[in-house]
Amino acid sequence: MENNPILIPERKLSAFVVDVLSAVGVPTDDATIVADCLLTANLSGVDSHGVVRLAHYIRRLENGTIKARPHLTFTRTAPAMGLLDGGDGLGHVVAYHATTHAMDLAAEAGTSVVVVGNSSHFGMAGFYVLRMAEAGYAGVSMTATDRMLVPFGARKAFFGTNPICFGFPTDGIPVVLDMATTSIAWGKVALAAVEGHPIPDSWALDAQGNPTTDPRAVAGLHPAAGPKGSGLAMVIDIFCSLLAGMPWGPHINRMYAEMDAPRHLGHLIMAIDVNRFLPLARFKQNLAAMVQELTALEPAAGFDQVHYPGQLEGLQRAQRRATGIPIEAGLADELAQLGQRYHVPFPAS
């Protein structure tokens, strides 16, 4: 492979993901959900949650810590509430079905909350919120993850990066705020480690709880906005782990370091039927007016334009759908080797 990224059309890369997952026993419909989630991340420029994760999912599917054909059980606990047991399946599939249940409940009751247990890594949180926004719902998705965030005032990691996402429907690019509760994305640390670059000592802590400039020594990340991000990470763990009866914080199975057992992750999905407050068209008009005023603000020094949450990702999706998804050489090699194992040709540019 050349050092420059290769550009692969969305359709071809999606077919590759589906075929590889199918080769390890994942039903086609479920494999398509996973591919849609991964490709939405890549198209949005959130490459850390895209096809780079495929090889890891395959390893867990092979060793049985993720089940290719899980038994999902949904229990409606109230008119607008439900619990979904994911049966240790692929988190993308589990959360997709939780989102479907949430929208069905909200269509009937106006709003809904679905708590998920016995799941695994569910990819980009925004994938589920985008689906709800496209259907006319305001949505929330969040998940617990294994420890990486060092609570405010502590020296060692306790909570996960614990992402949370909010989304609202528009007639254009949906408003989507998708954020981790750490001040720096783990992907930036991982990239610095690969490239051999030091990181600022304000980014992270080592295993002894001391600031480090070595990306390979990082054992924890600071919370976003100090005590605010720290508290939000705890709240997300309460919603996703404790309500679902799942392990929390340091008791959650490590995604990459503890490969011999299921992860038992918890998520939460919420859907709100905008029409129950005012007509959806009027809501979209109001939101469009807000967005127009916001993006018309004079940009600060060093900025070309003020953007709203989700706008840059939406623009990126349009561009990459037209030009192809860039895949770095190292990842291309990994995917090509994965394809060879299962007799699935890796698509050329």
Side-chain angles (χ1 to χ4, degrees):
M1 299 286 179
E2 297 179 358
N3 289 330
N4 294 328
I6 60 174
L7 295 175
I8 301 179
E10 174 191 6
R11 177 182 57 82
K12 291 185 177 181
L13 193 54
S14 177
F16 173 79
V17 173
V18 170
D19 289 345
V20 170
L21 288 168
S22 298
V24 294
V26 177
T28 301
D29 287 348
D30 289 357
T32 300
I33 291 171
V34 177
D36 286 348
C37 184
L38 299 185
L39 270 292
T40 297
N42 282 121
L43 288 168
S44 302
V46 189
D47 296 308
S48 61
H49 285 62
V51 294
V52 68
R53 304 276 186 161
L54 181 60
H56 171 75
Y57 300 143
I58 295 298
R59 284 192 288 273
R60 281 193 173 271
L61 285 162
E62 288 177 329
N63 73 10
T65 56
I66 291 179
K67 294 181 179 178
R69 296 175 178 270
H71 178 65
L72 274 58
T73 304
F74 179 71
T75 304
R76 187 170 182 171
T77 59
M81 302 175 71
L83 287 167
L84 179 65
D85 188 305
D88 297 321
L90 285 156
H92 323 73
V93 176
V94 176
Y96 182 93
H97 287 290
T99 303
T100 299
H101 287 298
M103 289 191 291
D104 288 345
L105 291 175
E108 181 179 333
T111 187
S112 66
V113 177
V114 175
V115 172
V116 179
N118 290 317
S119 186
S120 61
H121 187 259
F122 77 175
M124 185 179 79
F127 174 70
Y128 312 101
V129 163
L130 280 170
R131 184 172 168 228
M132 288 187 277
E134 289 168 0
Y137 295 93
V140 180
S141 65
M142 62 183 83
T143 183
T145 63
D146 50 289
R147 64 187 182 274
M148 181 53 66
L149 180 147
V150 178
F152 185 69
R155 294 176 65 90
K156 294 187 178 182
F158 187 90
F159 295 114
T161 58
N162 289 7
I164 185 169
C165 183
F166 304 88
F168 303 91
T170 68
D171 284 325
I173 298 171
V175 174
V176 175
L177 175 63
D178 188 348
M179 55 172 277
T181 50
T182 48
S183 60
I184 296 295
W186 172 252
K188 292 185 178 181
V189 176
L191 181 60
V194 170
E195 295 179 344
H197 296 157
I199 60 174
D201 62 7
S202 60
W203 277 19
L205 302 173
D206 62 18
Q208 287 70 49
N210 299 313
T212 181
T213 60
D214 180 0
R216 297 182 182 277
V218 170
L221 301 176
H222 293 289
K228 297 178 182 179
S230 182
L232 182 58
M234 181 176 180
V235 167
I236 293 170
D237 225 338
I238 293 170
F239 273 128
C240 295
S241 297
L242 299 191
L243 282 182
M246 295 292 107
W248 66 88
H251 306 290
I252 294 175
N253 178 287
R254 304 300 295 271
M255 183 169 180
Y256 291 97
E258 297 172 334
M259 294 285 292
D260 59 345
R263 303 195 67 210
H264 301 307
L265 290 186
H267 321 306
L268 182 142
I269 306 290
M270 177 184 293
I272 300 170
D273 185 356
V274 174
N275 270 310
R276 301 302 181 99
F277 296 104
L278 76 171
L280 179 60
R282 182 180 167 194
F283 173 81
K284 289 181 176 181
Q285 289 172 358
N286 292 344
L287 184 51
M290 175 189 284
V291 164
Q292 184 177 15
E293 290 184 30
L294 173 66
T295 57
L297 291 173
E298 180 181 357
F303 292 86
D304 296 326
Q305 183 184 343
V306 177
H307 293 92
Y308 65 86
Q311 184 180 14
L312 289 175
E313 291 82 356
L315 295 171
Q316 186 78 272
R317 285 193 292 275
Q319 178 182 342
R320 289 190 172 187
R321 282 197 169 104
T323 62
I325 295 171
I327 301 295
E328 298 288 344
L331 176 57
D333 282 337
E334 178 180 83
L335 293 174
Q337 292 173 19
L338 191 64
Q340 288 175 1
R341 286 174 53 195
Y342 297 102
H343 309 290
V344 179
F346 183 65
S349 60

